[in-house]
């Protein structure tokens, strides 16, 4: 029964639609009668008798129910001979022929029904032929509605296809980001671990392996996740920075100023790591004495605002890779894809040297960040800490 209900509902709605049209034209006929007879303006005459109203309604129902039966044929002809696919001149000529033929068939059938049903008012044959132009117009009206519905359906289909492709593009960009970041970072980390083992600094090597394993696990857990809370992103960044601090030791200092109200805000997955890596590669690692990276996060005016600043040589000295590297290009593309023009991503030289990266995204809240496993090192406000 439940499976048959949608079909029953469609047919009932279809019949109700054509009944409503018949009632509308009956009301229009009554209005025209009232205006022509002068009813309501002190002239002779009055409203039409109930019998005439009923006769008019019966006539309209007979006419429009016939069109209800013919309309599927008109819609099929519209889809079979479409202006969107064929030469419009040929299609227009064909539909002119179809309109006249179907209108003639309709008025003929209407005349036969009137002859067979004695109580149904029916004009004589010459008179009913006078309605042929109106019936041709009805054919074109149904055809126009069919084309409008077809174009709307195609538009919705294109929207759904575009949304699907956009989602696939976003996932592909995230996969490309992983492939771009991991090899370079992994090679450097494995090289550092190798050096530590040769120098018999096994404790640091074990710790670095553990943090690398944790970072890879977190990255795998984020498979197909486009956005994460800032707190979760900081958890991933904590693993990354811990490894980098073991590599650079006292040459790398990290300072954080994270607004607690900003921790639940969503931002693109793995967006901070390439920005921090860019600061390390083109800022800190270029200086013998190392340097400092500061990360600031705020929730301001419906936005999540992040700033990553280093005290390296600045954009001019790092132009060969710092401002146009693969990681930054991928970040720009992901932000454009996710937020369009509702975000800000800019690089500029800092007031005291180095590069300042500004990232503003719309404020949105998602699921809470997962808690780091016991013993894991996470980023807290102010610095890296256990």
């Amino acid at each position: 029964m439940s499976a048959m209900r949608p079909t029953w509902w469609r047919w009932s709605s279809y019949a109700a639609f054509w009944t409503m049209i018949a009632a509308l034209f009956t009301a229009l006929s009554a209005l025209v009668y009232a205006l022509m007879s002068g009813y309501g303006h002190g002239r002779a005459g009055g409203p039409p008798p109930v019998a005439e109203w009923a006769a008019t309604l019966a006539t309209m129902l007979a006419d429009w129910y016939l069109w209800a039966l013919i309309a599927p044929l008109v819609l099929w002809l519209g889809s079979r001979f479409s202006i969107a696919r064929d030469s419009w001149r040929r299609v227009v000529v064909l539909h002119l022929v179809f309109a006249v033929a179907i209108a003639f068939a309709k008025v003929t059938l209407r005349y036969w029904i009137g002859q067979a049903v004695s109580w149904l008012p029916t004009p004589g044959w010459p008179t009913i032929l006078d309605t042929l132009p109106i019936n041709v117009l009805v054919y074109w009206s149904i055809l126009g509605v069919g084309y409008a519905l077809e174009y709307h359906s195609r538009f919705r289909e294109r929207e759904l296809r575009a949304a699907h492709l956009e989602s696939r593009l976003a996932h592909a960009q995230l996969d490309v980001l992983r492939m771009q970041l991991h090899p370079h970072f992994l090679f450097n980390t494995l090289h550092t671990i190798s050096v530590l083992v040769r120098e018999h600094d096994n404790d640091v090597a074990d710790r670095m392996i553990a943090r690398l394993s944790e970072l890879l696990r977190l990255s795998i857990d984020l498979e197909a996740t486009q956005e994460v809370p800032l707190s979760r992103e900081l958890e991933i960044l904590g693993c990354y920075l811990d490894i980098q601090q073991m590599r650079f030791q006292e040459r790398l200092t990290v300072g954080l100023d994270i607004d607690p109200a900003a921790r639940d805000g969503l931002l693109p997955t793995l967006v901070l790591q390439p920005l921090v890596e860019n600061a390390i590669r083109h800022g800190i690692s270029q200086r013998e004495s190392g340097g400092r990276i500061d990360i600031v996060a705020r929730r301001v005016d419906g936005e999540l605002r992040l700033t990553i600043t280093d005290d390296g040589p600045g954009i001019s000295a790092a132009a060969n890779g710092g401002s146009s590297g693969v990681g930054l290009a991928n970040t720009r593309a992901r932000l454009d894809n996710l937020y369009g023009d509702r975000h800000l991503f800019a690089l500029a030289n800092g007031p005291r040297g180095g590069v300042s990266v500004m990232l503003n995204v719309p404020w949105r809240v998602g699921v809470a960040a997962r808690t780091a496993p016991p013993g894991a090192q996470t980023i807290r406000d102010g610095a890296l800490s256990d």
Side-chain angles (χ1 to χ4, degrees):
M1 185 68 177
S2 59
M4 297 175 60
R5 186 173 180 180
T7 302
W8 171 86
W9 176 257
R10 285 196 297 270
W11 282 113
S12 299
S13 301
Y14 187 70
F17 170 75
W18 290 102
T19 303
M20 183 178 64
I21 293 180
L24 176 62
F25 274 87
T26 301
L28 290 175
S29 298
L31 178 61
V32 170
Y33 176 89
L35 292 175
M36 293 182 64
S37 64
Y39 175 66
H41 294 278
R43 299 181 187 176
V50 175
E52 291 188 20
W53 283 58
T56 302
L57 179 60
T59 301
M60 292 298 176
L61 288 173
D63 284 336
W64 289 108
Y65 281 166
L66 279 176
W67 275 116
L69 297 175
I70 298 171
L73 173 61
V74 177
L75 296 176
W76 179 83
L77 290 172
S79 63
R80 177 65 179 82
F81 303 97
S82 175
I83 296 177
R85 295 192 300 268
D86 305 315
S87 171
W88 70 270
R89 292 184 178 86
R90 172 177 171 272
V91 172
V92 169
V93 171
L94 283 174
H95 282 297
L96 283 172
V97 174
F98 293 149
V100 174
I102 289 177
F104 182 81
K106 185 264 178 184
V107 297
T108 302
L109 184 59
R110 172 68 180 85
Y111 177 75
W112 288 346
I113 292 174
Q115 295 300 311
V117 181
S118 58
W119 53 266
L120 183 62
T122 303
W125 179 249
T127 304
I128 203 170
L129 281 178
D130 292 340
T131 64
L132 194 63
I134 296 177
N135 285 279
V136 170
L137 182 61
V138 173
Y139 174 95
W140 281 98
S141 299
I142 296 174
L143 188 67
V145 171
Y147 279 140
L149 294 174
E150 179 183 358
Y151 289 144
H152 176 72
S153 176
R154 289 182 181 179
F155 175 75
R156 293 293 301 164
E157 185 179 347
R158 290 194 193 99
E159 276 192 333
L160 291 174
R161 189 182 299 117
H164 180 65
L165 292 175
E166 194 171 298
S167 176
R168 291 178 61 185
L169 174 62
H171 289 306
Q173 287 177 335
L174 186 56
D175 292 338
V176 169
L177 175 64
R178 290 193 181 97
M179 290 186 291
Q180 289 168 349
L181 293 177
H182 288 173
H184 177 270
F185 174 66
L186 283 174
F187 293 153
N188 287 338
T189 304
L190 291 175
H191 174 71
T192 302
I193 293 173
S194 176
V195 172
L196 291 171
V197 170
R198 286 199 301 269
E199 294 177 353
H200 303 288
D201 196 350
N202 295 332
D203 290 340
V204 179
D206 287 343
R207 187 183 176 193
M208 184 173 287
I209 291 173
R211 297 304 282 157
L212 178 61
S213 174
E214 177 66 13
L215 177 60
L216 294 177
R217 184 189 67 79
L218 290 172
S219 298
I220 293 173
D221 288 346
L222 293 175
E223 188 71 29
T225 301
Q226 289 299 319
E227 293 180 299
V228 294
L230 173 61
S231 56
R232 183 70 187 281
E233 186 75 359
L234 291 175
E235 180 185 342
I236 300 171
L237 187 62
C239 295
Y240 172 80
L241 284 175
D242 192 22
I243 294 172
Q244 294 289 38
Q245 285 197 311
M246 283 184 278
R247 284 184 57 211
F248 291 96
Q249 298 180 3
E250 69 277 358
R251 293 179 58 206
L252 174 61
T253 302
V254 179
L256 283 99
D257 182 6
I258 309 298
D259 181 5
R263 287 183 170 272
D264 292 332
L266 293 178
L267 73 165
T269 306
L270 298 178
V271 73
L272 294 182
Q273 182 176 334
L275 300 180
V276 173
E277 182 181 23
N278 187 74
I280 293 175
R281 290 180 59 191
H282 304 290
I284 308 304
S285 63
Q286 302 297 319
R287 301 172 60 185
E288 190 69 28
S289 59
R292 178 183 176 90
I293 296 176
D294 288 289
I295 303 172
V296 179
R298 295 283 185 272
R299 177 186 177 183
V300 181
D301 297 333
E303 290 184 331
L304 175 59
R305 298 183 180 180
L306 297 106
T307 305
I308 300 173
T309 306
D310 64 70
D311 57 359
I315 290 179
S316 60
N320 291 333
S323 61
S324 58
V326 176
L328 291 180
N330 190 286
T331 299
R332 292 183 189 276
R334 292 181 64 209
L335 291 169
D336 287 338
N337 184 60
L338 287 172
Y339 306 112
D341 58 357
R342 296 179 296 115
H343 78 279
L344 170 67
F345 182 63
L347 284 76
N349 285 319
R352 293 183 297 274
V355 177
S356 179
V357 180
M358 291 159 285
L359 171 60
N360 299 349
V361 298
W363 176 259
R364 294 172 53 210
V365 177
V367 296
R370 287 173 46 183
T371 303
Q377 197 173 39
T378 59
I379 291 186
R380 296 178 185 169
D381 299 351
L384 279 171
S385 59
D386 290 324

